[in-house]
Amino acid sequence: MEVLVETRNLKSYYVLNVFGNIKTVKAVDDVNIRIMKDEIYGIAGESGCGKSTLLKTLFGDVEPPLRVIDGGVFYHDGGKEHNIYEDGGHLTRQFRWKFISYVPQGSMSVLNPVVKVKEVFKDFLDSHLKSESKKEAFDIAVQHLRELGLPDNVLNAYSHQLSGGMRQRVAIALSTVLSPKVIIADEPTTALDVVTQRGVIQLLKDIQEKYKNTIVIVTHDMGVHANIATRVAIMYAGKIVEESSTEKIFGEPQHPYTRYLINSLPSFENREKRTSAPGNPPSLSELPSGCSFHPRCPYRMKRCESEVPLLKDYGDDHSVACWLMEEK
Amino acid sequence: MNFVKKYLLPRLITYFLVFFIGITMVFFIPRLLPTDPVQRTVTRVRAMGAYLDPEATEKMMESLEDLYGLKGSVWEQYVNFWKRFVKGDFGPSLFQFPTPVTTLIMQSLPWTVGLLLTTTILSWLLGNILGGFAGYFSNSRGFKILDFFSMIIRPMPYYILSLILLIVFAYLIPIFPLGGGFSIGSEITFSLESILTLLKYAFLPALSLLLIGVFTWYQATKLVVQSVKSEDYVKYAELGGVKPQKIAMKYVIRNAMLPQITGLALSLGQIFSGALITEMVFTYPGLGTLLYNAIFTGDYNLLMGISSISIFVVTTSILVVDLLYPLFDPRVRYK
Amino acid sequence: MKTLRDLLRDKRFAFGFTVAIILVILSLLSFVSPYDPTRWNVVPRDLSPQWPHILGTNSMGQDVFWLLCFAVRNSLILSLIAALMSRIIAVIVGMVAGYRGGTVDRVLMFFSDSFLVLPLLIIIILFASMARSRLTLTGLGLLLGIFGWAWDARVIRSQVLSLRERDFTYTAILSGSKTGSIIFKEYMPFLIPLIFATLIGNMSWAIGMEVTLAILGVFNLEIPTLGTMLKWATDYQALLLGFWWWILTPVIASILLFISLYLLSVSISEYLDPRMRIQRIGRA
Amino acid sequence: MAGILKIDNLTKIYTLGSIFSRTKITAVDKVSFELNKSEILTLAGESGCGKTTTSKIILGFEEPTSGRMYYRDKEISSIPKSEKKQTLKEIQAVFQNPFSTFNPLRKVDSYFYETLYNFKIASNHENATEIIKEKLTAVGISFSEFSEKYPSEFSGGQLQRISIARALLTNPSVIIADEPVSMVDASLRMSIVNLFKDLKQEFGVSIIYITHDLATAYYVSDRIGIMLRGNLVELGPAEDVLKKPKHPYTQLLRESVPEADPKKKWKKRISLADTEYEEYSRTGCKFAGRCPYVMEKCKKEVPPYFFVDNTTVKCFLYENQGGEDDGLSV
């Protein structure tokens, strides 16, 4: 399977100067992931675990106080490998929307409120295409919208006239208009209602099946991952602690944190007592030594407190970052 | 159609109500105060040495009361004040006696409106564009200097700045006339030459209004733009690779302009007062100088006339600006 | 004192603060002034700046330096009266409109809008020209106070409106506290910085108004203030006669005063902005 | 089981716009239900369905347009002023965002002491600290960790527990929790939800649990009420409502909940609702626009409540099966 986007021991931290003393928030700490062609890669984790920062770094949207300290993000496009952070990250502009595009959180004000929706489409197209091909590119966009089941009058409407769900589907249509190879979606359905969320996820799945591209989706809602993702990575305190196919993650979670996360989810099967992980998630600026889950982990060993476990593949594409696996 | 009902009608109602309150205030203030204008004029006349026997003073008081519209009960005075206001008649000016107040005002109004209109629009546009780009590209050197100047000039009241400009450009480096609106004796024709002199005279007052206007709007827009810059749709356009200039103009400034339009409407009252004072420093033949003379000579009717007309001008222009707003903001046009 | 150290880190505050201190010292000096500001011809006239008259003397035989001390003192007192008066009205109107809502809010906001929109200078001139010589310092202060509250009432109202929607208002109600204690205990910590910042801004507006009214001659010219000083200087054609020190002293003094008040109000409101304070709480 | 709180035909209509253009939105439309002693009743539904407005009316923060509320069989609006404070003490609330429940510029413990003094539960400082300690241990927070601190110095989970402790101070008989766990991290969510279950058993408190998350609602509540655009469309025991949903909207909601199990992926495709505005002003059943079993009758008439195997449902499909019911099922 061909790799599209890859990170090699990527470290991107927030360096904050809070009234004199420097505070570094280790949002993405030595992450190595490989995102393949024609798959939906889910990134799960609680708020404040660094998953949105990882997404921003993947997309090249890095502005102070966020800085890439070490490692790199590699786009595999047309047989060549480009490290987008090689020379100051200005390389990213030519990849945007053609190779990789972005779906924002379903917030209210994603589209420019004072212009019609079709103006936003024109702006996005104009900046990437030569002038003469703009007209027919715009027609493709109109046709494209119709395929995605959006009514025609959406283009002539203003964003305040559309409902939350409709606005999010326009944003998704916008992200696929230049048929990029990878679409990055940051919590695309969090701000939506249950039924609208189902409609939006259904749309994302249709797009992936139709264009055989790749969608990287970040959300804290494990149910959404179960429904849409082919592979899932669990993130905790800035590191990937487990990565495998969706069935394995939900069926046989190996990492203690993943196990807590999956078991604590209520389901309609039964109403037995569920317990959540003890203690509180650590703050990313004062990480515990060794494995950052060790203060809350019941299977804690001497080794966990000192050495940081590496994400290792323990057979048929199921990698875990935990010293327990070494014992097995 | 519901746009008229929802947006237009409430604006019109507030316009009439504010106008009504303004005029009522102008009407009642002199009457609330203990000093009686008739008494004061009589004492001034007597101070000039003219001996008046009691019955002559009686008749004079009588005619003055009529001139001042102080006849009958307060309510009657109020009603016929409005009747005369609608006809545009404020009675004769006491200082330049027979000429009615209205003609005096009509002579100087075009000067003020001309000066005010140009400087307000120019400073609003310039201030917005500069502020917009300063807010968006905030770290470039050029805008740091502009920030420094705006911190110096913005807090200054109109009078002080006009005085400084007068000292510097008319006294130390006398390139501009010390005052007035046109050289004495020349009449205003539309020939190029007379227009040039007009501009020469009007330059300093316009400059002082322009400076304060540009820097006030510069700072206001910069603040608004910095908050608009962190909005989701701007971030989204940046992520989409839209060119920075297009984002600055079409996304940032266009959205930052909306609060500035209401800002313009709210500050017109202040800009008008500022213009009056600036005219006084340069004895520019507009309403300001007329007002100064009216106060100096205690010309009661002229004072009332100027106040009512200025309230009319200000409230009407605010209505106009309010009505422009929907053109810029579709959220108000379509529900 | 720690807050002062934090504030002084901001260059604008540092400059504004030093100028303000100088002006306050000047106004305190006026209590030890050897000359009575209202009496004329106590010193030889029209002397250019030399010892002992550091800023020279004017055509009315008064020492310009000591006159400036009295002028600054009176201007500051006047602006304080006006600013405090307008704070009281602004807070009451802002609070009642913001907390009560409904028709009361609409009526109060209508009045504040009309005060905002109408050319107040004209109305104040009308008022002042009637009272003319009987207008004392406090009289003018109260007059300016009555007209200076509109903009700040709006600002306070919007702050109260946003606070009312916050959940802690409901927590306070559920804890049995009445409206009065809610306003003082819950909202005051948010409103005080706002009131303080707008107070300084209003002071600068009031001084500007006083200068304008004095130039128009509608203010009692015996009381030495920045405005009356300027009025006498322009009436005696100080500019044309070359007495630059007489006209420049009030001009420069008022420029410094306006800039320092503006910088103080901007930097203080930024420092006391609730978001910043919450951050500092975490650190304190 | 005597009902501790009874809501009868509660309605709230908001009028928007100025005196000229009046638009009316019925946020809560004739909602009736009864809360029994030491029971957890959930009000679930999408945003804009009126569940929060209902809770605000019960807490007295909003005036209902019509309808009556009975607390311990006494009509709330008829309770004299003096006794009003007494009832206020017994109905407390827990809010969604812990960080906005407490004033960021005031110490958290000031609320605790204030509540105790206002309701005269504690006379002096020691006695008050005693009660606070007791309530804090009930929610698993130590006094030392809690006192003299500002809200920003706590984590979300901790602060939410403290908010629950504050609600317990007055030994309330009813707590209204408006989305109490939606802002808390998933892994800590269960510990707080379990806390609500313990409070019910230990203190016999009845809880109205407002949420849009059906899975947690199923786990914690005894009875569930589903709301749509201001109407209470289905009310019954959690088992029946979520295992055998009757109202078509409840079925759609139940299926649309993404379950954390790859084997239970969505099969049927759905069409999204027309804009919310139409649904508010729709005559007859509010779900007619999207309902797969829509009948002509649904579009014209407002369906009454039917009582079918101890669940009240507001839908014509059940017209002949169950007897008509005035919506006050036990």
Side-chain angles (χ1 to χ4, degrees), chain C residues 209-254:
Chain C
M209 264 308 183
E210 183 271 325
V211 165
T212 322
L213 291 175
I215 296 302
L216 284 171
V218 285
F219 185 37
N220 173 353
L221 296 179
E222 270 71 39
I223 312 166
T225 69
L226 288 174
T228 44
M229 230 174 134
L230 257 175
K231 173 69 176 166
W232 285 113
T234 38
D235 278 4
Y236 273 74
Q237 302 305 339
L239 189 61
L240 300 178
L241 299 169
F243 307 145
W244 50 269
W245 58 88
W246 185 10
I247 192 154
L248 282 191
T249 332
V251 167
I252 292 168
S254 42

Side-chain angles (χ1 to χ4, degrees), chain D residues 64-83:
Chain D
T65 316
S66 69
R68 280 176 306 285
M69 290 190 291
Y70 300 87
Y71 177 68
R72 293 193 197 281
D73 301 333
K74 281 208 297 302
E75 226 222 301
I76 288 188
S77 51
S78 70
I79 297 174
K81 207 103 192 55
S82 60
E83 267 175 52

Side-chain angles (χ1 to χ4, degrees), chain A residues 46-47 198 206 271 274 276, chain D residues 185 187 194 221 268-269:
Chain A
E46 286 162 70
S47 56
R198 178 179 172 186
D206 297 348
R271 300 174 73 176
R274 284 183 171 59
S276 29
Chain D
D185 295 338
S187 65
N194 291 339
S221 43
K268 282 194 290 180
R269 295 181 65 78

